[in-house]
Amino acid sequence: MPRNFQKTNIRMFIKNFFTQNAMDGHTELFESLVEKTVDYGKTSLRLMKLRTLSKTSDIVSSLLSHLVVLVFVLSFMLFLSFGLAIWIGEILGKGWYGFLVVAAFYGLAGLLTHLFLHKWLKRMADDQFIKQVLK
């Protein structure tokens, strides 16, 4: 066998050996990278779900507690209004006059609130909602 042929075969063997091992290493590295990327994506999605759940539960519990307080305040206002209407009706001589006066008071209060405090109340509610979401 010619000496050149042996050197060429040895070189080809070494080149193929290292190229194959390098490709195997790259393939394993790529597969490992893909697995880690998939795991990271799953973990990120789960974290996003948990954060969303936490924010949603904070907002719902806050709204629920405010709703309970609102029910009690509205009940108080309702009975106070009935009592005041009956009392004013006795003073004016006819029962329905008292209800008319109380209704006029609430109508005037609602109109003034809408005209002068609407934007302020809306901004305050927006700020509270944003504060709850970003908390």
Side-chain angles (χ1 to χ4, degrees):
M1 244 193 261
R3 194 149 168 84
N4 249 353
F5 183 73
Q6 286 178 337
K7 284 183 180 178
T8 305
N9 280 342
I10 293 171
R11 283 185 192 148
M12 292 290 283
F13 174 76
I14 292 172
K15 184 179 178 183
N16 287 339
F17 178 76
F18 284 115
T19 303
Q20 184 63 33
N21 285 340
M23 292 299 275
D24 288 344
H26 289 307
T27 304
E28 290 172 10
L29 181 64
F30 182 73
E31 288 173 357
S32 173
L33 183 62
V34 168
E35 286 177 22
K36 287 179 181 178
T37 303
V38 169
D39 288 343
Y40 177 76
K42 288 178 182 178
T43 303
S44 295
L45 181 63
R46 185 161 186 202
L47 180 62
M48 185 178 65
K49 286 179 182 179
L50 290 173
R51 283 183 178 165
T52 303
L53 179 65
S54 175
K55 293 295 178 189
T56 303
S57 67
D58 282 348
I59 291 171
V60 168
S61 64
S62 176
L63 288 176
L64 186 63
S65 67
H66 284 89
L67 185 64
V68 168
V69 171
L70 183 65
V71 165
F72 284 115
V73 168
L74 288 177
S75 297
F76 170 77
M77 292 297 295
L78 178 70
F79 288 111
L80 181 69
S81 296
F82 276 129
L84 191 62
I86 291 170
W87 181 65
I88 292 174
E90 286 181 7
I91 291 175
L92 296 177
K94 293 198 181 201
W96 60 274
Y97 284 168
F99 285 96
L100 186 63
V101 169
V102 170
F105 169 75
Y106 282 126
L108 183 63
L111 181 66
L112 291 175
T113 300
H114 178 69
L115 292 176
F116 298 110
L117 298 176
H118 178 73
K119 289 181 183 177
W120 178 77
L121 288 172
K122 183 179 181 326
R123 187 173 44 246
M124 189 173 71
D126 287 345
D127 290 347
Q128 284 294 345
F129 182 76
I130 290 170
K131 193 183 295 183
Q132 281 290 330
V133 169
L134 295 179
K135 183 168 86 171

